């Protein structure tokens, strides 16, 4: 007798945060185990995501379930309901399609075996549920704000107040002033109104070891943005109207990007904002608040006299690097960006913005010197004799590949022409033997047209010539590399050449060193070709896909020899055979 094969079942359970608890997982597993026992299956794997919304795709256990499905670790997927697997129409449809491809049925306690009909109907219902839940949540938060309570989050300067009601429940949304933090808030306002910058204030707070508002999730240090924030969105210490006893809610809406699954904040029109007076939460008096607002407005007008920031966001305003290595230079001591601290010199933004309590690197260096040293290091290695030989070999390989493709097409067309001519000859021979038929006329016309087409194609694509390397090929390569700096300064070529060069470099680390030029040792890392290792004493034939490495003061090897050639090509026409 043939033994009965028992299906291996994988259970998936999930609960989100709304009105559910961790015990919900056990409840789901219990009903799924009962279904599996009734069907005579066996449990192979159990997957559970706790406290995660069904609208999210990147759930750890859900992702693991899909990976194990591809490895054949079970034969059927079991869940309490389709909405436990996902509440997103696109995600549940993709999951069903994937399981169907793998031959794995989906069975739920609530719906039975899932079909395309369930995907359509339940997917729509889940999407409507999420929309309805969002509207109800929004309405509930609005009610709390109208009562002067918190709608979520905790501003610096306040703490949550919990009280037990007569029925034993605990109050929520109540806040009270934290006097210690309120003193810091008032200090920030007074210092800013007195003329200190947000950067100076942040550095002073860090020097005293005062924890910032994000100390629970960040590094605990103050930064200029923590203080200045965004005046339009009401973020930052200086823009929080709660400090003057005014609770403003619904300034912005968060929308999830379907491609990245990340939330993006969108500013709501002022008409949609909800404002409630909460005088018991006032920390800053009105006069001090207005002094700060006047100074902020004056600074904005000075920085942007044309008022461009008040206009709509447009793609053409997207920020582009102002200089060759903008955004790539970092501090080797703390990891912060090295930015222009004035018109000509780079310095550590961490030390400048957060003070010496965050980073002690106060060294600066001229921007032109950084660019010159980096380009010189690249040029020196690119001019190594073995690298020049590699360039010639690369050119030879590319030429031969192109020639091989052309030769292959020509050979194919030659064979096809021979076959056509053979068919024409056979047909003429049949006619001579008296086997003519009226249908042969159309057939002969078609063959003649095909012969004409192939003949013309062969004439227009002559046989590829043999590779003849120009005797000055190596010298031309050398000239192009020598012209690297000029290519990057030529207005007509700067954009293309600089983008190619930036594609080679991911980071330029600046380490203060009094014995080095400019008081800095430079370490560069990125996707440079392994051929740059040829500058080392033991350099050998370059590898076109080498792993990462590093040289102090010079360059770091990676992949991308073609980028080196792209920069070199920027100044002159392409080489021809």
């Amino acid at each position: 007798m043939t033994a009965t094969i028992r299906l291996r079942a994988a259970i998936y359970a999930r609960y989100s945060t709304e009105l559910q608890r961790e015990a919900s997982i056990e409840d789901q597993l219990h009903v799924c185990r009962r279904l599996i026992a009734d069907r005579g299956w066996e449990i192979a794997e159990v997957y559970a995501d706790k406290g995660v919304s069904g609208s999210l795709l990147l759930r750890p256990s859900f992702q693991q379930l899909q990976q194990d499905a591809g490895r054949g670790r079970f034969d059927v997927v079991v869940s309490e309901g389709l909405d436990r697997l996902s509440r997103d129409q696109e995600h549940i449809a993709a999951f069903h399609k994937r399981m169907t491809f793998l031959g794995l049925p989906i069975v739920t306690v609530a719906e039975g075996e899932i079909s395309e009909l369930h995907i359509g109907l339940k997917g729509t219902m889940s999407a409507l549920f999420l929309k309805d839940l969002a509207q109800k949540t929004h309405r509930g938060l609005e009610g709390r704000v109208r009562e002067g309570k918190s709608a979520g989050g905790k501003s610096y300067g306040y703490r949550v107040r919990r009280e037990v009601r007569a029925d034993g429940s605990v109050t929520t949304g109540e806040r009270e002033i934290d006097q210690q933090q309120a003193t810091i808030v008032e200090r920030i306002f007074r210092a800013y109104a007195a003329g200190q910058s947000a950067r100076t204030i942040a550095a002073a707070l860090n020097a005293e070891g005062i924890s910032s508002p994000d100390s629970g999730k960040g590094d605990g240090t103050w930064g200029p943005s923590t203080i200045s924030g965004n005046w339009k969105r009401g973020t930052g210490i200086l823009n929080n109207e709660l400090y003057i006893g005014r609770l403003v809610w619904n300034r912005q809406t968060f929308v999830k990007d379907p491609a990245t699954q990340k939330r993006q904040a969108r500013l709501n029109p002022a008409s949609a904002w909800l404002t409630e007076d909460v005088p018991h939460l006032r920390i800053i008096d009105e006069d001090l608040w207005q002094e700060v607002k006047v100074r902020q407005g004056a600074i904005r007008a000075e920085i942007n006299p044309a008022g461009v920031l008040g206009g709509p966001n447009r793609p053409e305003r997207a920020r582009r690097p102002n200089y060759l290595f903008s955004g790539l230079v970092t501090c080797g001591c703390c990891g912060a960006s090295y930015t222009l601290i004035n018109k000509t010199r780079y310095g550590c933004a961490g030390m400048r913005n957060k003070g010496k309590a965050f980073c002690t690197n106060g060294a600066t260096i001229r921007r032109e010197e950084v660019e010159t040293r980096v380009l010189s290091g690249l040029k020196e290695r690119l001019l190594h004799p073995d690298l020049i030989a590699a360039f010639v070999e690369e050119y030879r390989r590319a030429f031969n590949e192109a020639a091989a493709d052309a030769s292959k097409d020509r050979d194919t067309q030659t064979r096809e022409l021979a076959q056509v001519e053979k068919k024409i000859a056979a047909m003429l021979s049949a006619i001579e033997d008296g086997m003519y038929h009226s249908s042969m006329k159309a057939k002969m016309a078609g063959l003649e047209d095909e012969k004409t087409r192939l003949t013309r194609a062969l004439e227009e694509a002559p046989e590829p010539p043999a590779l003849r390397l120009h005797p000055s090929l190596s010298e031309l390569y050398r000239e192009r590399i020598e012209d690297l700096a000029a290519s990057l300064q030529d207005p007509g070529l700067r954009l293309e050449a600089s983008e190619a060069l930036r594609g080679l470099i991911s980071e330029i680390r600046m380490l203060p060193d009094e014995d080095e030029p400019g008081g800095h040792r430079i370490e560069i890392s990125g996707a440079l070709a392994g051929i740059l290792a040829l500058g080392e004493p033991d350099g050998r034939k370059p590898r076109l896909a080498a792993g990462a490495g590093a040289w102090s003061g010079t360059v770091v090897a990676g992949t991308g020899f073609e980028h080196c050639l792209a920069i070199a090509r920027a100044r002159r026409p392409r080489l021809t055979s």
Side-chain angles (χ1 to χ4, degrees):
M1 295 180 62
T2 303
T4 303
I5 299 177
R6 302 179 65 189
L7 293 181
R8 299 166 299 161
I11 301 177
Y12 180 79
R14 177 192 62 79
Y15 80 90
S16 53
T17 55
E18 72 274 357
L19 303 178
Q20 290 185 323
R21 65 195 195 286
E22 191 165 354
S24 172
I25 292 288
E26 293 302 324
D27 295 340
Q28 295 176 50
L29 295 179
H30 175 72
V31 296
C32 289
R33 289 190 180 103
R34 187 166 56 192
L35 182 147
I36 291 172
D38 292 342
R39 300 287 182 98
W41 301 339
E42 62 181 20
I43 299 175
E45 302 285 349
V46 175
Y47 305 88
D49 285 308
K50 302 176 181 180
V52 184
S53 171
S55 63
L56 297 177
L57 177 63
L58 299 180
R59 288 169 271 150
S61 292
F62 185 63
Q63 293 296 321
Q64 187 63 50
L65 167 69
Q66 297 183 73
Q67 292 178 15
D68 290 349
R71 299 186 182 109
R73 293 188 175 178
F74 46 81
D75 307 306
V76 60
V77 178
V78 176
S79 187
E80 180 191 36
L82 195 59
D83 57 355
R84 295 299 92 198
L85 291 165
S86 179
R87 288 189 182 277
D88 186 280
Q89 289 174 293
E90 179 183 3
H91 298 165
I92 192 61
F95 178 74
H96 179 262
K97 183 182 294 185
R98 175 65 177 167
M99 295 303 105
T100 300
F101 171 76
L102 295 173
L104 304 178
I106 304 172
V107 179
T108 68
V109 176
E111 297 92 4
E113 184 166 352
I114 300 301
S115 65
E116 285 77 4
L117 183 62
H118 292 98
I119 296 300
L121 293 177
K122 293 290 290 189
T124 302
M125 292 173 61
S126 293
L128 292 175
F129 169 81
L130 288 175
K131 185 177 181 179
D132 182 60
L133 178 63
Q135 292 175 342
K136 290 180 178 179
T137 301
H138 191 273
R139 185 174 67 245
L141 293 176
E142 181 179 347
R144 293 166 68 89
V145 172
R146 293 190 182 281
E147 295 176 0
K149 297 183 178 182
S150 171
K154 183 180 68 172
S155 296
Y156 186 80
Y158 304 93
R159 58 171 171 259
V160 177
R161 187 181 70 196
R162 304 283 189 188
E163 294 182 355
V164 180
R165 299 190 183 96
D167 60 359
S169 61
V170 180
T171 60
T172 58
E174 300 288 351
R175 286 174 292 192
E176 61 184 7
I177 296 175
D178 183 320
Q179 291 300 332
Q180 184 176 1
Q181 293 183 359
T183 301
I184 302 301
V185 171
E186 186 174 2
R187 170 184 168 179
I188 292 172
F189 272 82
R190 293 194 181 283
Y192 190 84
Q196 293 187 28
S197 66
R199 182 178 292 110
T200 301
I201 298 171
L205 295 173
N206 289 330
E208 297 176 29
I210 299 173
S211 297
S212 67
D214 63 349
S215 58
K217 58 182 179 179
D219 57 14
T221 58
W222 293 80
S225 61
T226 309
I227 295 172
S228 296
N230 184 305
W231 66 279
K232 284 186 176 182
R233 298 181 183 273
T235 60
I237 297 291
L238 298 177
N239 301 308
N240 191 347
E241 296 187 47
L242 190 59
Y243 295 141
I244 56 172
R246 186 182 303 143
L247 175 60
V248 181
W249 179 74
N250 203 38
R251 284 180 182 267
Q252 53 192 13
T253 300
F254 290 91
V255 181
K256 185 185 297 182
D257 185 335
T260 63
Q261 295 297 304
K262 293 182 178 180
R263 296 198 312 165
Q264 294 185 356
R266 295 181 179 175
L267 190 65
N268 292 331
S271 58
W273 300 0
L274 177 61
T275 303
E276 290 292 330
D277 291 328
V278 284
H280 63 288
L281 296 179
R282 175 186 282 271
I283 294 177
I284 304 300
D285 62 64
E286 189 66 28
D287 291 340
L288 180 56
W289 174 267
Q290 290 302 328
E291 286 182 47
V292 168
K293 294 298 111 178
V294 169
R295 181 164 184 244
Q296 285 181 315
I299 292 175
R300 286 196 299 271
E302 182 180 353
I303 295 175
N304 184 32
V308 177
L309 293 179
N313 293 326
R314 300 180 64 86
E316 58 268 26
R317 290 182 187 162
R319 183 177 179 181
R320 293 179 173 84
N322 294 324
Y323 301 104
L324 183 59
F325 298 128
S326 295
L328 299 178
V329 190
T330 63
C331 175
C333 299
C334 67
S337 296
Y338 243 53
T339 57
L340 286 173
I341 60 174
N342 54 41
K343 292 183 179 180
T344 61
R345 301 187 73 84
Y346 278 127
C348 175
M351 196 284 290
R352 185 185 182 213
N353 294 335
K354 300 183 178 182
K356 292 186 177 181
F358 180 81
C359 182
T360 58
N361 179 14
T364 64
I365 184 172
R366 292 177 62 251
R367 173 182 60 81
E368 292 85 354
E369 181 172 351
V370 174
E371 294 179 357
T372 300
R373 286 175 63 183
V374 171
L375 291 176
S376 296
L378 292 177
K379 186 164 65 174
E380 178 183 354
R381 293 184 177 278
L382 289 170
L383 288 175
H384 190 280
D386 287 347
L387 182 53
I388 297 177
F391 171 81
V392 175
E393 179 61 28
E394 178 73 9
Y395 179 83
R396 186 195 304 275
R397 183 191 61 80
F399 183 94
N400 289 340
E401 286 183 358
D405 290 340
S407 179
K408 182 178 179 181
D409 292 340
R410 183 177 177 83
D411 290 344
T412 300
Q413 292 169 347
T414 300
R415 288 194 300 270
E416 291 178 352
L417 179 59
Q419 292 176 357
V420 169
E421 291 176 338
K422 184 177 180 180
K423 291 179 180 179
I424 292 175
M427 191 172 294
L428 290 175
S429 178
I431 293 174
E432 290 176 355
D433 293 340
M435 299 174 61
Y436 176 78
H437 190 275
S438 58
S439 62
M440 288 184 176
K441 183 177 181 180
K443 182 68 173 178
M444 178 66 76
L447 289 173
E448 289 291 345
D449 290 341
E450 181 68 4
K451 178 180 178 180
T452 302
R453 182 188 69 80
L454 291 171
T455 302
R456 185 181 297 113
L458 288 171
E459 292 174 350
E460 294 176 354
E463 186 173 351
L467 174 62
R468 296 187 302 275
L469 292 177
H470 194 283
S472 301
L473 182 61
S474 298
E475 188 59 33
L476 290 174
Y477 170 83
R478 184 184 299 276
E479 289 179 10
R480 294 182 184 188
I481 299 303
E482 291 286 0
D483 258 356
L484 178 61
S487 298
L488 295 169
Q489 299 304 324
D490 188 325
L493 300 170
R494 177 180 170 85
L495 180 60
E496 179 183 357
S498 62
E499 286 182 353
L501 181 61
R502 287 172 64 88
L504 301 173
I505 300 172
S506 62
E507 183 182 21
I508 302 174
R509 289 186 294 274
M510 309 297 296
L511 296 113
D513 189 334
E514 295 180 356
D515 297 330
E516 294 287 338
H520 285 79
R521 186 171 81 254
I522 302 178
E523 293 183 354
I524 308 172
S525 61
L528 289 175
I531 53 177
L532 296 183
L534 290 169
E536 296 302 295
D538 61 345
R540 298 181 179 86
K541 184 177 179 180
R543 297 168 293 170
L544 296 182
W551 292 274
S552 296
T554 48
V555 292
V556 173
T559 58
F561 177 57
E562 66 279 0
H563 292 294
C564 301
L565 302 184
I567 297 173
R569 283 195 293 262
R571 290 294 293 172
R572 297 178 183 270
R574 295 180 179 177
L575 295 174
T576 57
S577 59

